[in-house]
Amino acid sequence: KRQYKTRKQAEMAERRKRLELNGNIITLSKLVQLRLNAYEFQGQMQTRAKMEQLYRCRVKPFIEDKDVSLYTAQDILGMAEHLKAQKPINETEKSTKKQSNNSVNTAVKRLGVFFNWGIKRGYCSSNPCIFFEKLNYIKPEKVYWTEDEFNHALQYVDPENYKFRAQLELFFWTGMRRSEARSLQYKDLNLEKKCLTIKDHIVEDGGHAIVPGRKNDSKSMTVFLDDSLVETLRRTKERDQKIDGFNEDWYILGYKKPFTLSNFAKQLN
């Protein structure tokens, strides 16, 4: 143990050696699963869902799955390059749109969280992500509609497309996230008190997964609505109530199920 500076380092090395002797090599996929299980055990379901989605979509297709002690800075750089170009290492994987520098930086940073957790538990001795130099990223300036521009745009919305109008007004007047708006059910709406309760958000997971809590906060939040939005949501509910099977569990932006992301995109285009 003299070769180690601290007792903790020696214990970690000893644990690692025992794993190797027992043939229990910890691969990246195993490390990730162990960390996800720990999130679940700690009741951090929202964090678990985010980290699982990030690994599955932005890490797993772009890096070789091997013993966590064998990863180098070059492996991380290679993953970043494949991710940015959206060229999975496995040709059978689907390729989607190219990722921004900011998305790549986030993926590497989150991967580093798994390695740091593994270090504390003796599964690996270093975090290769710390050597990754962040890619340059200039945050684009946001452009907002004025109230006059918004009201002008509403003139072109088909009156029969009442769900789309409700969608636009929800986004404009409340500023809520898309994932939160999609999770809204009629039981979250109180027309008399003119308010909405945001208590969940939707994470894409094959189809979709409803995760308790708002996107960046586990607590629910009540949003008070202006009269025009209340009237739009009242009309939306009245239209839905005429459909067989309606109940308070139906989605405001959807029906028995929430609208998909592709549905949102089609409406806006």
Side-chain angles (χ1 to χ4, degrees):
K1 294 184 178 179
R2 294 179 181 176
Q3 59 181 309
Y4 301 104
K5 294 182 180 179
T6 65
R7 181 182 181 86
K8 185 175 181 180
Q9 288 179 343
E11 290 174 345
M12 288 169 56
E14 183 178 359
R15 183 175 182 180
R16 176 72 193 175
K17 193 66 177 177
R18 286 176 180 172
L19 287 171
E20 291 175 353
L21 290 174
N22 293 330
N24 296 324
I25 297 300
I26 302 296
T27 61
L28 179 58
S29 60
K30 284 185 179 180
L31 177 68
V32 169
Q33 191 56 57
L34 288 169
R35 185 62 182 110
L36 295 178
N37 291 343
Y39 281 131
E40 188 170 349
F41 179 76
Q42 295 161 356
Q44 298 178 309
M45 299 306 295
Q46 185 175 343
T47 303
R48 186 197 186 286
K50 287 181 182 177
M51 296 297 280
E52 190 278 332
Q53 183 191 30
L54 181 137
Y55 171 72
R56 178 168 45 81
C57 298
R58 296 190 190 176
V59 176
K60 184 179 178 181
F62 305 100
I63 194 168
E64 180 185 357
D65 187 27
K66 59 183 179 181
D67 184 337
V68 289
S69 66
L70 301 179
Y71 285 99
T72 65
Q74 194 62 36
D75 291 313
I76 306 304
L77 178 60
M79 185 198 84
E81 292 174 346
H82 281 285
L83 176 58
K84 185 175 181 180
Q86 276 295 297
K87 293 182 179 178
I89 57 175
N90 185 344
E91 295 182 358
T92 61
E93 295 276 358
K94 291 183 179 179
S95 178
T96 56
K97 67 177 183 179
K98 294 181 180 180
Q99 297 291 304
S100 68
N101 285 0
N102 189 50
S103 294
V104 174
N105 291 339
T106 299
V108 174
K109 181 179 178 179
R110 296 290 184 269
L111 178 57
V113 171
F114 289 115
F115 277 107
N116 285 336
W117 184 83
I119 291 172
K120 291 179 180 179
R121 282 149 185 81
Y123 296 133
C124 52
S125 58
S126 63
N127 177 4
C129 297
I130 63 175
F131 302 106
F132 177 74
E133 293 186 14
K134 284 187 176 181
L135 304 178
N136 292 330
Y137 174 70
I138 300 175
K139 191 173 182 178
E141 183 180 352
K142 293 184 178 180
V143 179
Y144 300 95
W145 270 354
T146 64
E147 186 174 344
D148 288 340
E149 289 172 333
F150 177 70
N151 288 328
H152 179 72
L154 285 181
Q155 297 176 17
Y156 297 92
V157 177
D158 184 348
E160 291 301 310
N161 197 350
Y162 64 100
K163 289 281 189 179
F164 182 45
R165 185 183 183 96
Q167 171 186 319
L168 289 178
E169 292 202 36
L170 268 174
F171 289 151
F172 185 79
W173 293 114
T174 69
M176 72 175 64
R177 299 177 178 89
R178 182 174 57 183
S179 61
E180 295 169 348
R182 290 176 64 207
S183 74
L184 291 174
Q185 296 167 282
Y186 281 109
K187 62 185 178 184
D188 303 320
L189 172 64
N190 190 321
L191 292 170
E192 285 65 42
K193 293 184 178 181
K194 300 180 180 180
C195 64
L196 272 170
T197 300
I198 305 173
K199 54 183 178 57
D200 303 309
H201 72 284
I202 289 179
V203 173
E204 291 303 313
D205 187 13
H208 71 270
I210 298 177
V211 180
R214 292 179 289 133
K215 184 176 180 181
N216 294 326
D217 192 339
S218 60
K219 298 178 181 178
S220 62
M221 180 177 72
T222 298
V223 178
F224 290 92
L225 314 172
D226 83 328
D227 291 339
S228 65
L229 180 52
V230 169
E231 188 56 35
T232 295
L233 295 176
R234 188 190 305 280
R235 291 196 300 267
T236 301
K237 185 173 183 178
E238 288 173 353
R239 294 282 293 268
D240 280 352
Q241 285 175 323
K242 296 177 182 178
I243 302 173
D244 290 341
F246 172 83
N247 61 63
E248 293 290 310
D249 288 331
W250 275 30
Y251 292 88
I252 298 174
L253 301 184
Y255 297 98
K256 291 182 180 180
K257 295 182 179 181
F259 285 148
T260 63
L261 288 177
S262 60
N263 183 280
F264 272 56
K266 288 177 183 177
Q267 295 278 18
L268 292 172
N269 290 332

